[in-house]
Amino acid sequence: MIEGLVYFSPLLIAIIAVLILMFGEHEEDEQYRCFRFSRVMMLISFALAVIFYNKPPITGLSDGSSFALVFELLLYAGGFVLLYLSRRWFAAMHRLAYVFCGCLFMSLLFGYLLISSYNLALTAVSIIMICISNYILLKDSDNQREISFGTRLYLLLTFVCMFMLVGASVLLYHRCGALDYEVLRLYFELNKDSAETFVLATMMILPFLFLLGLAPLHFCVAESLGKATLPVFAYLMLMPITAVWGGFIQLNVSMLTPVLPLFRLFYIAIALASVGIGAVGACSGQNIRKIFGYASVYHFGIAFLTLRRFTPNAINASCVYLFAYLLAMFGICACLFGLKKKGEYLFMLSEFEGAAQKRPYISVMMVIFMFSLLGLPPFIGFLGLFSALNYLALHHHYYQLLYLLTTMLVLGYAYLQIIKVLCFEERKTSFDRVDRGIYTAILLNAVLMAILILQPHYWLEDVKPLLETVLQ
Amino acid sequence: MVDLMSILLIIPLLGCMFALFARKNDVNAFYVTIFTIVSDMAVLLCLLPNVVRIGGDAVNGWTYQWLMPMNVELSFGADVFSMLLLLGVYLALLIGLVGLLPQQRKSKSLLLSTLYFAWCMTGFLTARDMLSFYIFFAGMVPPLVMSVGNFGNVRKMSSLYVFFALCFVGALMLLTATLVIYRFNHGNIGLLEIALIRMPKYAALVVWIGVCAAFLSRIPIWPLHHWFSLVCGGIKNPLVYIIFNLMPLTGIYGFMRFWQLTVPESAEVFLPIMTTFGVLTMLFAAFIGISHKDFLPKLFSYSAVYYLLFLLVIVLLDTKYAQNIAYSLFIFLIVNATLTVSELWSENACAESKCDYRGILAYMPKLSKVFAFFVLVAVGLPISSMFWNNFVLISALFKENFAAGIGVMTAITLIGMGIMFELFMMRSLPENIDSEVWVEDISDKQTAFFMAIVVLLFLSFFDPLWFVF
């Protein structure tokens, strides 16, 4: 009992933080205290998670593996980054951050559980709770009186996800009497040709695809990102993605392996559609957050295309691509936090005109991050892209390779549009003074990227054995 | 050798760092850039005697164990060909820097792009394996896009995208070829060993198409010449123009390295088509050059004609004449850069003193002398090693393919006449001199700098490598 409680302690800290932040009584002048409290709680939770990294947080329902540890570390890193950057936004906008920080902890808590889950019930609860915390944040970021169409749609799809996951869990429990991944894997092995199995597996996969924002479920996430506030935008681009990606790999490798051949074509179609729609969608917008929203659909499409076989090399290649994406996207978010006019954070592309003249360092770094996302050497994205494309070439998927390279040209247009506005246009208005913390965050990111590009074995080779533990 | 090669690669990066943190609106970054380029040239001159002593073979210099478990080792080396081209590139950049107007010298972004471009060029010309070759080839895209976008007056999104697409498609094509090679070799491979890989015919064809398309995208051959002229038309900054003009060099160098290694037998049917396109584009560019009234479009046509000449020599004659191409390209890069700077100076002088462009050199005697010398070198008069080497190359071309030789000679004569005529129009014509007009000539320092280059070129007539001791 005590042993279990000790292993559960990282999550217990997160639960306490959620309860205090969401349901405690707060005063308006406690802005900084909220962030300080969140940072301390996250630090304690992180320390405990590292100490008990190989122990299951909930005995019998989850497992502690090196694979889970990698994603948990990314999750915590995302959490720290968001707390660090968002503090500035909430201070500048004079808004209370309790809901935001509470949701951040909620996402961390259920993300952690999702990554280490070995039980469908726990997975379903985690997914539903992540969806709910996303919805709360989107609702909070909307105008208080009016909830946008995108947010309502998000709620509707959350209900659909809930229905599918609960439905699948109930049906599988009815059939197998347990919801452990191992038991369910056996069930899928024995019934892999039946239509019911296919439907049940689909019901489990679709919520993941929705949370990853892959096509054709992308529209809701991309629309919501376009209207979300900057902290919520950064949160949606960095945090749930990490957890869901880890959970999705775990689900497929531990439970759905017998039926994976049935889904291979479906996965390819989803990935290719995401790549195409992401690239075209990014070109059609004028809202910078929407552009990056669609761009993320494109990048997840590539990672998904690489992942679809769930072999050790596929998992490694897709994770390398994902890490490169996360690093570059974190940099872009930090840059967006640094560009504001008259206290307002910028949405539309036209508002960024001539930013390079006033904020050269931030603009240059943003350009570098975008080139990195495009996979141009010698930036870190090149290694991610090379890893993913090399995997496709090794398996003779030349048409898919050609398709990816063609769509990359389309995505290049979207990024070039941003680069043109940032660097080549004349400045029309002034930009506000930038907090030094933003420069620090960007510099740290640049240094990290430089280290990883000069010594890539840290993340290409040393992480590989850790990721492979998911297959054992 | 090993140490010098690594220093050669590290110096531009250090320069970038210092330039980045230099004071804003000051010329510190400019001096850092000059110092960096000169330092790298000094290292290069230390390396050259070793390379020349060994002869035509490539000397392996420095290897960087980037990803050993994945069999990825980046290796860098040098031969006379690459070292001479690199020296030519540095000299061209130095000329471009000297040609910057006082206000342009304060632009940190331009200087950073220049240093970054110099780093990529250094890596590209010294790369000895497939992956580093690709990394530096594609790595040139950001500085090219940033400098042309910023200072090339490419305000239309369509023109900017065309330029970006041109660079990016080339990079993606080479990436495809790299991936196919990687697939069959299970790791990185030295450039000279590519021919030894056993791969199916279709894979060899994909590699060949990828490599060719990548390098052709950097050369103003039909139908790409229009896009090149579209972008270069708006460039009024000498350094950016020179950087833009160095783009085809990467294509030529790429062909030089890959042509004999990757061409499969099935692809040889494309050879006559490529030759025809090359010659026709040369003739077309020469006619366009003649029809233009300004010097800069003529210069663009001139450089297009000469780059295509080098391309044809490589395609038709393999790498037998590599040394001659290197000597000729070295002089060509310097001449091109000097003419660009001189032309933009005279244009600027016209704009400031509001006098007529025709006869402008009559008011600028020092610039006039420099200009005249370089035009004479450009048209191929026997005052530099370009004369000898072009003579050798064109006569070899005549021997290999007489029709192509006639076309090439016609194009070179036409464009030579074009720029000679322009020189005649710009030089002193007594009836044009207006005593009330005062035009500022180039300074004594700048004159001395160009006179040093004149000496360099003139001595090369007797020995192309006279500066190697």
Side-chain angles (χ1 to χ4, degrees), chain A residues 113-170:
Chain A
L113 283 174
L114 179 65
I115 293 164
S116 55
S117 168
Y118 264 81
N119 185 287
L120 186 60
L122 187 62
T123 304
V125 170
S126 306
I127 284 282
I128 292 164
M129 291 311 286
I130 290 174
C131 280
I132 289 172
S133 73
N134 288 359
Y135 169 73
I136 294 172
L137 280 176
L138 284 172
K139 186 172 163 284
D140 189 54
S141 89
D142 280 340
N143 189 318
Q144 296 297 319
R145 284 162 294 178
E146 193 186 339
I147 299 171
S148 72
F149 175 70
T151 312
R152 285 181 200 173
L153 201 63
Y154 199 94
L155 182 66
L156 181 72
L157 287 171
T158 302
F159 277 119
V160 175
C161 287
M162 199 186 295
F163 168 76
M164 283 198 283
L165 281 170
V166 172
S169 304
V170 169

Side-chain angles (χ1 to χ4, degrees), chain B residues 195-447:
Chain B
L196 304 176
I197 305 174
R198 284 185 181 180
M199 55 176 115
K201 269 185 182 177
Y202 78 90
L205 200 64
V206 168
V207 170
W208 186 79
I209 290 172
V211 165
C212 266
F215 299 137
L216 281 178
S217 72
R218 297 271 172 104
I219 299 171
I221 195 168
W222 187 89
L224 306 177
H225 70 285
H226 174 65
W227 294 350
F228 274 84
S229 58
L230 192 77
V231 175
C232 109
I235 302 174
K236 294 293 174 200
N237 183 307
L239 189 57
V240 176
Y241 194 94
I242 289 166
I243 289 175
F244 178 77
N245 226 334
L246 288 173
M247 236 176 95
L249 179 74
T250 58
I252 298 291
Y253 181 77
F255 270 110
M256 186 71 201
R257 285 277 169 252
F258 276 84
W259 188 252
Q260 68 191 67
L261 304 175
T262 56
V263 185
E265 284 174 15
S266 52
E268 279 177 4
V269 287
F270 297 113
L271 207 63
I273 300 172
M274 214 164 142
T275 311
T276 314
F277 272 123
V279 174
L280 286 178
T281 313
M282 278 176 91
L283 285 167
F284 185 66
F287 279 116
I288 292 280
I290 281 192
S291 65
H292 264 288
K293 286 182 179 172
D294 294 332
F295 188 79
L296 219 50
K298 277 190 167 65
L299 194 61
F300 174 72
S301 302
Y302 166 78
S303 58
V305 166
Y306 268 79
Y307 275 127
L308 287 169
L309 163 70
F310 298 126
L311 175 71
L312 282 175
V313 172
I314 293 166
V315 168
L316 290 174
L317 306 168
D318 267 356
T319 49
K320 275 182 275 182
Y321 295 92
Q323 206 89 329
N324 298 93
I325 296 173
Y327 295 147
S328 197
L329 261 172
F330 173 66
I331 305 289
F332 166 76
L333 292 176
I334 297 169
V335 169
N336 217 342
T338 315
L339 287 177
T340 306
V341 168
S342 310
E343 154 62 16
L344 287 170
W345 266 340
S346 56
E347 248 185 54
N348 189 55
C350 281
E352 276 184 0
S353 55
K354 292 173 184 164
C355 65
D356 192 10
Y357 175 71
R358 302 284 159 189
I360 178 71
L361 291 179
Y363 304 102
M364 306 169 83
K366 289 181 203 164
L367 183 65
S368 174
K369 287 185 186 75
V370 171
F371 202 89
F373 178 84
F374 283 97
V375 166
L376 294 178
V377 174
V379 297
L381 289 189
I383 40 177
S384 77
S385 69
M386 199 169 166
F387 166 74
W388 293 118
N389 292 296
N390 280 1
F391 182 79
V392 172
L393 295 177
I394 293 168
S395 47
L397 210 58
F398 263 109
K399 202 175 163 187
E400 181 70 26
N401 187 331
F402 189 77
I406 292 282
V408 166
M409 202 57 220
T410 314
I412 287 176
T413 312
L414 282 173
I415 197 65
M417 278 164 57
I419 55 172
M420 278 295 278
F421 178 71
E422 198 63 27
L423 173 70
F424 172 73
M425 295 299 285
M426 285 169 75
R427 267 180 70 86
S428 67
L429 297 170
E431 63 271 23
N432 276 3
I433 294 177
D434 183 350
S435 55
E436 286 182 10
V437 174
W438 183 83
V439 181
E440 193 183 350
D441 203 350
I442 55 173
S443 68
D444 288 342
K445 278 183 192 172
Q446 286 165 332
T447 315

Side-chain angles (χ1 to χ4, degrees), chain A residues 158-454:
Chain A
T158 302
F159 277 119
V160 175
C161 287
M162 199 186 295
F163 168 76
M164 283 198 283
L165 281 170
V166 172
S169 304
V170 169
L171 280 169
L172 282 168
Y173 188 76
H174 183 67
R175 298 275 184 279
C176 311
L179 288 173
D180 289 346
Y181 279 2
E182 274 179 39
V183 177
L184 297 181
R185 183 192 176 124
L186 197 66
Y187 168 79
F188 282 120
E189 182 75 54
L190 295 171
N191 303 286
K192 60 182 169 193
D193 295 326
S194 78
E196 187 188 272
T197 312
F198 184 77
V199 172
L200 285 171
T202 311
M203 284 167 78
M204 281 183 279
I205 288 168
L206 283 178
F208 281 92
L209 301 185
F210 162 64
L211 269 177
L212 286 173
L214 289 167
L217 303 168
H218 66 282
F219 55 91
C220 178
V221 180
E223 279 301 319
S224 309
L225 279 171
K227 287 181 181 159
T229 57
L230 199 50
V232 176
F233 166 80
Y235 160 83
L236 287 172
M237 295 295 267
L238 297 172
M239 268 210 56
I241 299 299
T242 315
V244 174
W245 205 262
F248 186 65
I249 294 173
Q250 188 84 271
L251 181 87
N252 279 273
V253 169
S254 310
M255 195 205 329
L256 296 177
T257 322
V259 288
L260 274 182
L262 299 175
F263 283 91
R264 201 149 285 160
L265 203 63
F266 175 64
Y267 281 174
I268 292 174
I270 291 274
L272 294 181
S274 301
V275 166
I277 290 171
V280 175
C283 293
S284 56
Q286 283 297 310
N287 179 328
I288 201 158
R289 291 175 203 172
K290 206 168 164 180
I291 292 176
F292 282 118
Y294 273 106
S296 70
V297 174
Y298 171 87
H299 295 297
F300 293 141
I302 293 188
F304 201 69
L305 194 64
T306 320
L307 182 70
R308 63 172 192 255
R309 280 174 190 268
F310 293 95
T311 56
N313 284 340
I315 293 173
N316 191 46
S318 67
C319 287
V320 164
Y321 188 83
L322 191 72
F323 296 160
Y325 160 83
L326 285 174
L327 212 55
M329 198 43 87
F330 155 58
I332 284 173
C333 289
C335 291
L336 290 178
F337 271 99
L339 294 170
K340 59 178 177 175
K341 279 181 190 171
K342 294 173 187 166
E344 289 289 327
Y345 287 83
L346 312 177
F347 266 95
M348 301 310 288
L349 207 51
S350 56
E351 293 171 328
F352 289 84
E353 273 178 2
Q357 290 164 23
K358 191 71 183 166
R359 298 278 164 254
Y361 292 111
I362 291 182
S363 307
V364 164
M365 285 315 294
M366 196 155 159
V367 170
I368 287 177
F369 294 133
M370 278 188 279
F371 279 130
S372 176
L373 281 176
L374 269 181
L376 276 173
F379 308 116
I380 200 160
F382 162 66
L383 279 175
L385 185 76
F386 192 78
S387 175
L389 297 186
N390 188 37
Y391 177 78
L392 292 178
L394 278 174
H395 290 87
H396 307 279
H397 302 306
Y398 294 116
Y399 289 112
Q400 290 166 22
L401 196 73
L402 192 70
Y403 176 73
L404 289 192
L405 295 178
T406 314
T407 47
M408 201 170 281
L409 267 179
V410 182
L411 185 73
Y413 181 81
Y415 285 153
L416 192 67
Q417 244 182 326
I418 300 174
I419 293 171
K420 182 177 179 274
V421 170
L422 275 177
C423 302
F424 309 153
E425 298 284 357
E426 288 296 320
R427 183 163 62 95
K428 285 178 185 156
T429 49
S430 60
F431 288 82
D432 291 357
R433 197 181 167 81
V434 184
D435 195 311
R436 280 191 183 177
I438 301 289
Y439 282 121
T440 312
I442 295 171
L443 186 70
L444 280 176
N445 193 356
V447 170
L448 190 62
M449 279 172 94
I451 292 170
L452 291 179
I453 197 76
L454 287 172

Side-chain angles (χ1 to χ4, degrees), chain A residues 357-358 360-361 364 367 371 374-379 382-383 385-387 389-391 393-396 398 401-402 405-406 408-410 412-414 416-420 423-426 443 452-457 460-461, chain B residues 20-22 24 64-67 69-70 108 112 116 119-120 131 134-136 138-142 145-150 154-157 160-162 164-165 168-169 171-173 175-176 178-180 182-184 186 202:
Chain A
Q357 290 164 23
K358 191 71 183 166
Y361 292 111
V364 164
V367 170
F371 279 130
L374 269 181
L376 276 173
F379 308 116
F382 162 66
L383 279 175
L385 185 76
F386 192 78
S387 175
L389 297 186
N390 188 37
Y391 177 78
L394 278 174
H395 290 87
H396 307 279
Y398 294 116
L401 196 73
L402 192 70
L405 295 178
T406 314
M408 201 170 281
L409 267 179
V410 182
Y413 181 81
L416 192 67
Q417 244 182 326
I418 300 174
I419 293 171
K420 182 177 179 274
C423 302
F424 309 153
E425 298 284 357
E426 288 296 320
L443 186 70
L452 291 179
I453 197 76
L454 287 172
Q455 296 293 329
H457 63 87
L460 290 185
E461 282 304 309
Chain B
L20 184 69
F21 295 110
K24 207 178 166 186
Y64 179 60
Q65 297 190 343
W66 199 35
L67 258 176
M70 284 172 75
K108 258 169 77 170
L112 268 172
Y116 187 75
W119 178 64
C120 288
L131 198 61
Y134 167 71
I135 287 175
F136 288 103
M140 280 175 221
V141 177
V145 171
M146 293 309 286
S147 51
V148 170
N150 242 329
V154 190
R155 288 285 169 253
K156 274 187 188 169
M157 186 61 194
L160 186 66
Y161 182 66
V162 161
F164 173 75
F168 198 43
V169 165
L172 293 180
M173 295 307 276
L175 177 64
T176 313
T178 310
L179 286 168
V180 175
Y182 211 85
R183 152 86 182 79
F184 286 99
H186 304 292
Y202 78 90

